[in-house]
Amino acid sequence: MRDPDAYDVLIVGSGAAGLSLALALAARYRVVVLAKSVATESATLYAQGGVSAVMDHADSVESHIADTLAAGAGLCRREAVDFIVRHGRERIEWLIAQGVPFTTRVSKSGTVEFHLTREGGHSHRRVVHAADATGRAIEQTLLERVRGNPNITLLERHMAIDLITAGKLGRIPDRCIGAYVLDLERHCVRTLAARCSVLATGGAGKVYLYTSNPDVATGDGIGMAWRAGCAIANMEFVQFHPTCLYHPQAKTLLLTEALRGEGGHLVLANGERFMSRFDERGELAPRDVVARAIDHEMKRLGLDCVYLDVSHKPRDFLLEHFPTVYEACRQYGIDITRDPIPVVPAAHYLCGGVLTDLCGRTSLPGLYAVGEVACTGLHGANRMASNSLLECLVIADAAAQVIANALPNHDAIEGIPAWDESQVTDADEEVVVAHNWDELRRLMWDYVGIVRTTKRLQRARRRVELLHAEISEFYGNFRVTGDLIELRNLVQVAELIIRAALKRRESRGLHYTLDYPRQDDTNYRRDTVLRAGDFS
Ligand SMILES: Cc1cc2nc3c(=O)[nH]c(=O)nc-3n(C[C@H](O)[C@H](O)[C@H](O)COP(=O)(O)OP(=O)(O)OC[C@H]3O[C@@H](n4cnc5c(N)ncnc54)[C@H](O)[C@@H]3O)c2cc1C
């Protein structure tokens, strides 16, 4: 009889990347999908805008490519941009075939077509969406298909701890052969063997104090890949959204940029507007300029937040155009028709990640990475809006094809040792984890945020190294918990961001440092690739 914990493919993550990959492979193979929370909880669920693809005859693939390259500030991999953009339409059609209810409209000639929106950086309307909750529509539709597929096992509340590699077991050739996984309900560690494994774990926004990301975004895939010896690239490029609600109870409420587009003012507590001091376009300046200006004012004046004020707009207008924002703020006692909304910029998207080719292959045989966890070269130094879901879908499909072709060459894996808990006890002081978690996110926010300096980065590096040592010791001595696993990954991600930022002695795209304020194409028009041997 077959070992119940042995699968053809292990997919860690149930967002757009993981689910679409699972569906593509399940026709021929036995797939297991892990979600460390409930399966829907993912960045995918919260994506509002949509998926970019060339769907309009007035638009062109060349234009989408040119816009993406311009946003990426000289660091996009041309081949990746070309590949992903060219497959956009086909992936949208696949989503429609799965049942995703994208918003349509009736054209002047009476035909039904997809309603397309236009977002920052795009020179055409090319964002396909499902009202203002596109991610929810994608996540729920794909999940329903996954749940109905007998070849896919979905394990919710199962958190991957580490990848298992043949090399670490003293076998050759080295390849990924599965993962140790904590069952968060039963509090036991399971050994999952797989002929191929895929990281689809999403981003790492939780490494910063303020983030638009859900709680699951703790960079686990990057931490696991790094420990397994994979190359990690471009970690210095973190995209910050300028306006998230600042409220003790509101974890991740993003305030759409349309509020500024419709005339909202950014003000200090005394009502003074400040954006014109930074950019002649004022509140309509691009996302990174606005985020930088807010950060500057907060640091200069030691503020907890600034305010986004739309109260001068007619009440009916606000209720008609921003019903979701109105309702969400009202829950926290803020009436946007009367009160300025307290806001902070927040970590939103990680352009860097596990270095892969265009089929999701990492530098470790048998291991693939797809979605926000990966760095394919599409985004370069700055992500263009709505290109990330596109990347998830296109690379998942390409990865499915190479995995399906590769599987017949890989035998089932046997003899993986069980997780060893003989040397550890239950933690005596959980406060250590909670304290380090808070300290890490605060120091990343203060020293490795939107505007950087070498001095702040060096200070952050020293502190993160101390935290890293303490967390490793804790991990070595005590039984694993979900919080500890995530903290261990967060501190690793923090260290990689800091190392990468220190290496880039220029300002480019999302990486801005006061010590090197200009872009230096002579020396730095290249990826920052980190490998385990580069530093201990
Ligand atoms: C608020 C918000 C709005 C956005 N809007 C858009 C938009 O309009 N258009 C766009 O293109 N992009 C948007 N993005 C970005 C986009 O949503 C993400 O980049 C994309 O959804 C990532 O998908 P993913 O499948 O890679 O990861 P996710 O959707 O984040 O899924 C990650 C999965 O990995 C699982 N996981 C993580 N670690 C582990 C572990 N150790 N063990 C087991 N499971 C694990 C999680 O449980 C989860 O299931 C937005 C992001 C946010 C936060």
Side-chain angles (χ1 to χ4, degrees), residues 47 92 100 179 183 237 356 518 521:
I92 298 292
V100 177
D183 177 339
F237 298 115
T356 70
R518 268 182 284 282
D521 281 334

Side-chain angles (χ1 to χ4, degrees), residues 12-18 34-39 41-51 119 139 158-161 200-203 212-214 216 218 220-221 224 254 348-349 370-373 383 385-390 392 485 489:
V12 188
S14 62
L34 307 185
K36 67 176 169 179
S37 177
V38 292
E41 190 58 6
S42 58
T44 301
L45 186 76
Y46 299 98
Q48 299 166 346
V51 191
E119 291 189 341
E139 180 69 25
H158 276 69
M159 184 184 285
I161 306 170
T201 49
S212 67
N213 291 186
V216 291
T218 52
D220 297 1
M224 287 188 275
L254 201 104
H348 188 51
Y349 186 82
V370 181
E372 192 169 336
V373 66
R383 173 192 75 127
S386 290
N387 267 355
S388 33
L389 283 170
L390 174 69
C392 290
I485 293 167
N489 292 320

Side-chain angles (χ1 to χ4, degrees), residues 2 6-11 20-32 149-153 195-196 397-410:
R2 195 170 188 170
Y7 296 88
D8 294 321
V9 186
L10 162 66
I11 299 175
S20 49
L21 180 63
L23 288 169
L25 283 167
R28 284 170 62 191
Y29 294 108
R30 234 175 124 241
V31 180
V32 60
N149 193 310
N151 264 352
I152 305 176
T153 304
R195 297 199 284 154
C196 277
D397 183 58
Q401 291 177 32
V402 294
I403 292 172
N405 291 334
L407 277 172
N409 305 325
H410 299 300

Side-chain angles (χ1 to χ4, degrees), residues 56-57 104-115:
D56 185 72
H57 65 269
T104 54
R105 64 168 200 163
V106 179
S107 72
K108 283 187 194 131
S109 61
T111 54
V112 177
E113 57 187 23
F114 289 103
H115 181 263

